[in-house]
Amino acid sequence: MSKKIKSFYILSGLVFCLAFAYYPMFFSRFLKVPGDIGDERFGVFVLNHWFNVLRFKEPFFRLNFFYPVKDAMGFSDGFFLLGVVYSVFRFFGLDYFTSLQMLYIFMTSLGYLAGFLVLRKILKLNYFFGIFGAVLLVSLNAIQNQFGHIQLLSFYFYPALALLIYYYFDSKKAGRSKISWLYMISFAVLLGLLCFTSYYAFWFFVFSVLIFIFFYFANEFIYSYAASKNEGRSKISWLYMISFAVLLALLFFTSDYTLWFFGFISYVFIFFYLPEKIAGRYFRDRLSGWLVFIKTNKVQLSAGFFIFIASLAPAFIVYIPVIFSGFRFPFFLNFSPALKDIINVGPRNYLWSGVLNIFHFDYGSGEIQNGLPVITLLVLIFLFIFNRQILKGREKEKRILLPFAVTGVFIFLLIFNYRGWYSMWYFVYIFVPGAVGIRALGRFFIVSQMIFAVFISYNLNYLFAGAKGKIYHSFSRGIILLIFFLVLTEQFNAGYFFLNKKRQLAFITRFNGKTGCGSFFIKYNTSYKKPSWVYGTDALMISMKTKIPTINGYSGFYPRKWHLKYPSSKLYNYYVSRWIKENRLRNVCSVNLKTGIFKHA
């Protein structure tokens, strides 16, 4: 196959996945924008802030809402890397919302192309399965359900991070030391700035990698034990396995937090002490390669670590003042999936939502509508059961892929709530740094589904490759392709396109920035009946257009003593007056949302 034909197929896959996910936007001639009038407009405001920063028109760490609060950026995600991409389209003269649409297209394209390279270069998939797998990776039903949250586009950086890690080790293996430095630095900078872009994407990535490492070495121990069975340790190994299963059951089904604590201590003991005792030198041999690599590359790895810490500096500057001021999400399970939510595809899936509606399925909050379509779930279960037979003779792949898939399963077990009132996540919330900043736990299941997409693509690829020759095998290949087609088809979703670009631009142009006002607030009006966040983001849009700071606003947190959510509240003018006096503001104006007129207060 020539390079031109290969490029054509890759491009065709990209066009297909963009059409698959964004067809409402294309069919509306770009009038429909992913998201809604709340979070999406907040995201546009922050993205446009970075455009102004790059033009030296706004301070780097200062957002023009909740004026004059200085650390308002720390109340939500920073959107930094996404803002840089968004700014490129703004520099080309595109408006606020068209640039946002282009950002969605760019990030999906990045995820697709990097995902294709991961499947082809790292996992060595067949060319077409690499394309199909990459399309599946960026077209998941769960991702489409979360289009209203711009920061979650950062999930598409995951394949790029995986590629950089692979190319780093590959260049070290090939003896190309200089280029390995480039990959190491690129990975460290990208991961560090990801924290300043999307905290969820950053924290989920780091935590998922740690979970994978845990299961990887647990799997290595099992292989080591298999090699040491002839050393007379069979009885103690069975005792270990049974104890492990009992502990897991106790932790999963009990609400006794004391037992959970002792179970956690037992796990630490099991995985840090018993492997050496049970598997002996075989386990040491499997670890020795990693230890030798770390020892021989300690300078480069240390440099990469410090570069990563330096790249976290913007996030530290923004979030540390907020952390020390006492802001944190309380532990609650409102946005944590229940067991039924493993198939909660949301109300807009074309294949399965109608079926679930027959049974009056309760979809709940949009934050937990991240479940697996039914065929995908069944295929996943089948591949888990027969994974060893599918990858027979491929020990290296089994040693990596199985812990990888188990990581995805464990993530769901970790975040799912039992009967709506307790979850294993409690211990993560208490003991793992940064977990207090995670509220919408259901989004973590998207990471699981990205893992499952890779796992399914990999196994179906090798089932297909093993079916050669006879008519029976040709039939088997047809079945495998049909399964892959069904898995992809059931991701088809009506999408989350509730923002109308024409209406939003018409609203923004109503306001004139030449007012002489130092800051503004939305004028009190008892006829305001919409949700509070609508008026908060209205103020953001006005500030974005006029470049005048607003004392209104919208974010994940709100300043203390602020209380300006409801412009129709009888106490609204009182809170406005108190805010102005306590912050010694001058030259403050009110703005009428209907007429667009500013008036000095």
Side-chain angles (χ1 to χ4, degrees):
M1 191 185 302
S2 68
K3 288 185 177 180
K4 288 184 178 180
I5 295 177
K6 288 182 178 180
S7 299
F8 172 77
Y9 284 134
I10 294 173
L11 183 61
S12 298
L14 175 59
V15 171
F16 175 80
C17 74
L18 291 176
F20 191 84
Y22 301 115
Y23 73 92
M25 185 169 73
F26 297 138
F27 286 170
S28 68
R29 297 182 181 180
F30 282 81
L31 284 181
K32 290 185 177 181
V33 181
D36 59 22
I37 203 170
D39 285 354
E40 204 73 347
R41 292 202 300 176
F42 170 79
V44 169
F45 176 86
V46 181
L47 291 171
N48 201 70
H49 162 74
W50 295 118
F51 173 59
N52 290 328
V53 167
L54 293 175
R55 296 188 300 161
F56 304 101
K57 292 190 175 182
E58 285 186 18
F60 193 91
F61 293 111
R62 188 76 175 268
L63 292 176
N64 284 333
F65 62 88
F66 300 147
Y67 185 78
V69 174
K70 295 180 179 180
D71 54 1
M73 184 176 285
F75 294 171
S76 186
D77 289 299
F79 294 84
F80 178 70
L81 292 173
L82 300 176
V84 172
V85 177
Y86 174 87
S87 298
V88 173
F89 300 114
R90 293 286 283 128
F91 276 122
F92 277 106
L94 299 182
D95 64 65
Y96 307 110
F97 297 97
T98 304
S99 297
L100 175 65
Q101 293 168 320
M102 292 297 104
L103 173 65
Y104 271 90
I105 291 173
F106 176 87
M107 290 303 300
T108 304
S109 302
L110 173 66
Y112 166 80
L113 294 171
F116 172 76
L117 289 175
V118 166
L119 296 172
R120 280 287 293 161
K121 298 292 185 181
I122 301 178
L123 300 178
K124 313 298 182 186
L125 264 62
N126 172 290
Y127 201 82
F128 291 105
F129 273 86
I131 293 175
F132 295 155
V135 171
L136 176 62
L137 186 66
V138 298
S139 304
L140 294 170
N141 179 83
I143 290 179
Q144 295 179 65
N145 280 339
Q146 297 296 326
F147 272 164
H149 307 285
I150 299 172
Q151 66 272 32
L152 298 187
L153 287 174
S154 298
F155 284 144
Y156 291 138
F157 285 121
Y158 284 8
L161 288 166
L163 268 182
L164 290 172
I165 283 288
Y166 167 75
Y167 283 131
Y168 168 72
F169 284 110
D170 189 57
S171 60
K172 295 297 293 184
K173 185 178 180 180
R176 296 180 295 167
S177 181
K178 291 183 179 179
I179 195 72
S180 70
W181 274 99
L182 176 63
Y183 292 129
M184 168 62 73
I185 293 171
S186 299
F187 174 82
V189 171
L190 178 58
L191 183 59
L193 292 180
L194 184 61
C195 183
F196 192 41
T197 301
S198 171
Y199 180 74
Y200 275 51
F202 167 80
W203 196 92
F204 287 163
F205 180 84
V206 174
F207 192 53
S208 299
V209 168
L210 293 176
I211 294 172
F212 167 73
I213 291 173
F214 174 84
F215 283 114
Y216 172 79
F217 283 111
N219 195 50
E220 289 293 280
F221 159 70
I222 292 172
Y223 273 88
S224 301
Y225 160 68
S228 65
K229 284 180 68 176
N230 296 327
E231 295 186 1
R233 298 177 180 181
S234 180
K235 291 182 180 180
I236 191 172
S237 65
W238 275 106
L239 176 63
Y240 159 74
M241 290 298 180
I242 293 171
S243 301
F244 181 85
V246 170
L247 276 173
L248 185 62
L250 287 174
L251 288 182
F252 192 70
F253 291 108
T254 184
S255 61
D256 187 343
Y257 291 146
T258 304
L259 186 59
W260 280 20
F261 175 76
F262 285 111
F264 175 76
I265 298 298
S266 300
Y267 277 134
V268 173
F269 171 76
I270 285 171
F271 283 99
F272 285 92
Y273 178 73
L274 284 187
E276 176 68 19
K277 294 298 180 182
I278 296 174
R281 63 184 178 85
Y282 296 94
F283 189 66
R284 290 198 301 271
D285 291 342
R286 291 201 181 271
L287 289 179
S288 63
W290 288 104
L291 295 175
V292 169
F293 179 85
I294 293 172
K295 187 175 181 180
T296 54
N297 295 280
K298 57 185 177 182
V299 173
Q300 190 178 52
L301 293 173
S302 298
F305 175 76
F306 286 114
I307 291 171
F308 165 66
I309 296 299
S311 301
L312 285 173
F316 287 154
I317 293 171
V318 166
Y319 294 125
I320 285 179
V322 178
I323 292 170
F324 279 100
S325 66
F327 283 111
R328 58 187 288 169
F329 288 118
F331 177 76
F332 66 99
L333 300 175
N334 298 41
F335 296 151
S336 175
L339 190 59
K340 70 176 180 63
D341 291 314
I342 198 168
I343 59 167
N344 186 354
V345 294
R348 293 179 295 278
N349 184 277
Y350 281 117
L351 187 59
W352 291 112
S353 294
V355 177
L356 293 176
N357 290 339
I358 295 174
F359 298 95
H360 305 287
F361 189 89
D362 180 14
Y363 296 108
S365 165
E367 302 293 354
I368 59 175
Q369 295 170 9
N370 302 316
L372 288 160
V374 176
I375 297 174
T376 303
L377 178 61
L378 294 176
V379 170
L380 187 65
I381 293 171
F382 172 84
L383 294 176
F384 257 107
I385 294 173
F386 295 102
N387 184 251
R388 289 189 175 276
Q389 287 77 7
I390 294 169
L391 300 180
K392 189 175 182 180
R394 299 181 178 274
E395 296 302 316
K396 184 178 180 181
E397 286 89 342
K398 283 193 290 188
R399 286 167 53 192
I400 295 176
L401 198 66
L402 188 58
F404 184 63
V406 170
T407 298
V409 175
F410 184 76
I411 286 171
F412 178 76
L413 296 178
L414 198 63
I415 64 175
F416 119 88
N417 70 77
Y418 182 65
R419 296 185 179 179
W421 63 280
Y422 76 90
S423 166
M424 287 196 292
W425 183 260
Y426 176 78
F427 289 100
V428 178
Y429 179 85
I430 295 297
F431 295 112
V432 180
V436 295
I438 304 296
R439 179 178 59 172
L441 283 180
R443 296 176 185 175
F444 205 176
F445 196 34
I446 298 176
V447 178
S448 287
Q449 295 205 43
M450 296 178 75
I451 291 172
F452 296 153
V454 174
F455 182 74
I456 290 172
S457 302
Y458 188 93
N459 280 278
L460 290 182
N461 173 82
Y462 277 101
L463 280 173
F464 184 86
K468 297 178 180 178
K470 300 178 181 179
I471 296 176
Y472 168 78
H473 295 303
S474 299
F475 177 76
S476 299
R477 282 189 164 190
I479 294 296
I480 293 166
L481 289 176
L482 177 61
I483 290 172
F484 211 138
F485 174 76
L486 290 174
V487 167
L488 183 58
T489 301
E490 65 178 350
Q491 311 297 328
F492 199 31
N493 192 299
Y496 200 78
F497 295 81
F498 299 130
L499 197 61
N500 186 290
K501 178 169 65 176
K502 186 176 181 180
R503 293 174 189 167
Q504 291 306 311
L505 291 175
F507 171 77
I508 291 173
T509 54
R510 191 184 305 163
F511 303 92
N512 190 336
K514 299 178 181 179
T515 63
C517 301
S519 60
F520 75 89
F521 62 92
I522 295 174
K523 186 178 180 180
Y524 166 75
N525 192 322
T526 56
S527 66
Y528 292 157
K529 302 299 181 183
K530 295 178 181 179
S532 63
W533 40 265
V534 174
Y535 301 110
T537 53
D538 279 347
L540 296 184
M541 294 297 96
I542 298 168
S543 176
M544 182 174 69
K545 170 64 166 54
T546 62
K547 299 179 177 56
I548 303 172
T550 176
I551 67 174
N552 294 103
Y554 170 79
S555 194
F557 290 125
Y558 294 95
R560 299 183 187 280
K561 299 181 180 181
W562 180 67
H563 307 302
L564 302 181
K565 280 187 179 182
Y566 305 100
S568 60
S569 167
K570 294 181 180 179
L571 292 175
Y572 179 74
N573 279 339
Y574 162 73
Y575 285 124
V576 167
S577 176
R578 191 177 75 172
W579 184 264
I580 291 173
K581 289 179 180 179
E582 289 184 354
N583 291 282
R584 299 179 181 179
L585 301 181
R586 295 185 178 183
N587 205 21
V588 181
C589 298
S590 65
V591 60
N592 188 309
L593 291 180
K594 295 181 179 179
T595 64
I597 296 175
F598 285 81
K599 184 178 180 180
H600 285 272

